[in-house]
Amino acid sequence: MNLLLKEIRHTPLLWLLVFVPVVIALARIMPDAHTLLFVLAVIAIIPLASLLSHATEAIAEKTGDAIGGLLNATLGNLTELIIAIAALQAGQYMLVKASIAGAIVTNSLFMLGASLLLGGLRYSTQEYNRAGGRLYSALLLMATIALLSPSAIADLDFPGEETAVQRLSFALAILLIAAYGLSLLFSLKTHKELFASADHGETAGPVLPIGVAIPTLLLVTVLVAIVSEIFVESVQKAAETLGMSPAFVGFIVVALVGAAAEMAVAFSAARRNRLDLSVSIALGSASQIALFVAPVLVLLSYLVGPHPMDLQFWPGAVTMVMIATVVTSFVTNSGRSAWFIGALLLFIYAIFAMTLYMIPPGSHGPV
């Protein structure tokens, strides 16, 4: 514990942790100050993400990059899952679907692209295990096909269409969860040698003891979930004040803030030439959202939602997810990277962000 306190004292970024209790207290005292809560929540998430980065790196040193990346992606997506459950209870299915699609695109384009760029600016070329990239790309492609299926049925416009879409969504949710479970068995058990990390990265210097890192992970994950929920509750009103559309909020703002903790670890790993960990976090998180988080939300909607949620997404959302998946598949096929590849991914993400930003703030079309 002394090592953790020393880390906080000597890291100026972690001094921003003081904003965590501040934003939690203000959310109770001034619940209608949406813009202020929005800004403070963003500031509070940044040091929590940094602290989560330190704890995850300590565990990755013991478990390896594959399991470390899976652990970080799971904890990061747990936050998004908690937020989405709250939105399900409120019946905000549009926000749930937008955040799902946006998280997939943000992780596979922005997080991966920024990791490749940051690592490439320090190293001329970087190598990583391409077996992991191929696996995650294949999983994302299958998930995108699953997202296309309900829309294909809906376009037929026949009696009982809504019931058919809902039944198909339920069946696809079970199928996707099963596929994700088998992918874990394949990568962590039966063929784990294919996904071994190359031993070429730098160490991060002194790391937290495993006995401190695990409780820190659990505590920080809870705090991130609390602050993120405050963020989501305030972001809609703050977006109206700042002139942002619901589509832009769901796809870009919520996705970026929700993935802040994972990004901190991925970027740090890339700068230390541990691109295996960065790729595992970015693409592992995207595939986990598509194959686990989204299906779980469909199943949970039967229990906590006002009515069941389906997997029918706005065609523009599925198109962006499909483009992100195809681009990711091309990029990760070689197992080598340079800074310009990361820049290209960021340009594609910027195109999506600019397109969504041009949607009028008052628009409430399907997402």
Side-chain angles (χ1 to χ4, degrees):
M1 186 58 67
N2 290 334
L3 184 59
L4 178 59
L5 294 176
K6 182 180 178 181
E7 186 74 26
I8 293 175
R9 285 198 304 268
H10 291 82
T11 307
L13 181 62
L14 296 181
W15 297 350
L16 295 176
L17 287 171
V18 68
F19 285 96
V20 176
V22 170
V23 71
I24 294 175
L26 282 179
R28 294 181 176 275
I29 299 172
M30 304 170 58
D32 295 327
H34 298 293
T35 303
L36 178 61
L37 289 173
F38 167 76
V39 174
L40 291 178
V42 172
I43 295 175
I45 286 175
I46 293 173
L48 288 173
S50 178
L51 193 57
L52 188 62
S53 168
H54 290 289
T56 305
E57 287 175 355
I59 295 179
E61 288 290 334
K62 300 291 184 180
T63 62
D65 288 349
I67 296 178
L70 174 64
L71 176 64
N72 187 269
T74 301
L75 290 173
N77 291 336
L78 179 61
T79 300
E80 296 174 351
L81 180 61
I82 294 172
I83 295 171
I85 290 174
L88 279 179
Q89 292 175 323
Q92 298 183 28
Y93 291 171
M94 182 185 75
L95 179 60
V96 175
K97 292 182 180 181
S99 63
I100 289 172
I104 296 172
V105 172
T106 296
N107 291 337
S108 56
L109 289 182
F110 182 83
M111 191 189 303
L112 180 62
S115 296
L116 299 182
L117 176 62
L118 292 173
L121 291 176
R122 188 171 183 183
Y123 302 93
S124 178
T125 59
Q126 292 182 291
E127 296 184 358
Y128 54 91
N129 190 331
R130 62 180 179 178
R134 287 177 171 177
L135 173 65
Y136 294 132
S137 297
L139 291 173
L140 284 173
L141 182 60
M142 184 192 67
T144 305
I145 294 172
L147 296 181
L148 283 169
S149 301
S151 298
I153 286 185
D155 288 341
L156 297 178
D157 192 19
F158 59 91
E161 165 203 327
E162 292 185 5
T163 302
V165 169
Q166 189 57 60
R167 291 174 60 188
L168 176 61
S169 297
F170 183 88
L172 288 173
I174 300 297
L175 185 68
L176 290 176
I177 291 175
Y180 182 68
L182 291 176
S183 73
L184 294 180
L185 178 65
F186 178 75
S187 61
L188 300 179
K189 182 69 174 178
T190 64
H191 290 71
K192 62 181 180 180
E193 68 278 0
L194 297 178
F195 303 92
S197 303
D199 187 17
H200 53 243
E202 301 175 11
T203 60
V207 296
L208 297 175
I210 197 73
V212 176
I214 292 177
T216 300
L217 275 176
L218 297 177
L219 176 61
V220 172
T221 299
V222 172
L223 291 176
V224 170
I226 294 173
V227 176
S228 297
E229 187 171 359
I230 295 172
F231 166 81
V232 170
E233 290 175 354
S234 62
V235 70
Q236 294 285 12
K237 294 292 185 181
E240 293 177 5
T241 303
L242 300 174
M244 295 183 290
S245 68
F248 183 82
V249 170
F251 268 78
I252 306 300
V253 180
V254 174
L256 285 174
V257 175
E262 300 156 281
M263 289 181 186
V265 184
F267 297 165
S268 174
R271 291 289 293 169
R272 293 185 290 107
N273 202 27
R274 294 182 61 179
L275 211 55
D276 283 317
L277 181 57
S278 299
V279 173
S280 179
I281 292 173
L283 298 187
S285 181
S287 62
Q288 190 178 76
I289 290 170
L291 277 81
F292 183 74
V293 174
V296 165
L297 291 173
V298 171
L299 300 181
L300 286 177
S301 67
Y302 284 84
L303 302 176
V304 303
H307 58 84
M309 186 182 80
D310 56 46
L311 288 175
Q312 182 181 356
F313 285 71
W314 168 50
V318 181
T319 300
M320 291 181 183
V321 172
M322 176 63 80
I323 292 174
T325 300
V326 173
V327 170
T328 298
S329 179
F330 278 116
V331 166
T332 58
N333 190 50
S334 65
R336 292 171 60 87
S337 177
W339 67 267
F340 186 65
I341 297 176
L344 289 178
L345 293 181
L346 292 178
F347 282 135
I348 297 174
Y349 184 78
I351 293 172
F352 290 165
M354 291 167 61
T355 302
L356 293 168
Y357 187 76
M358 292 303 166
I359 298 176
S363 174
H364 294 278
V367 293

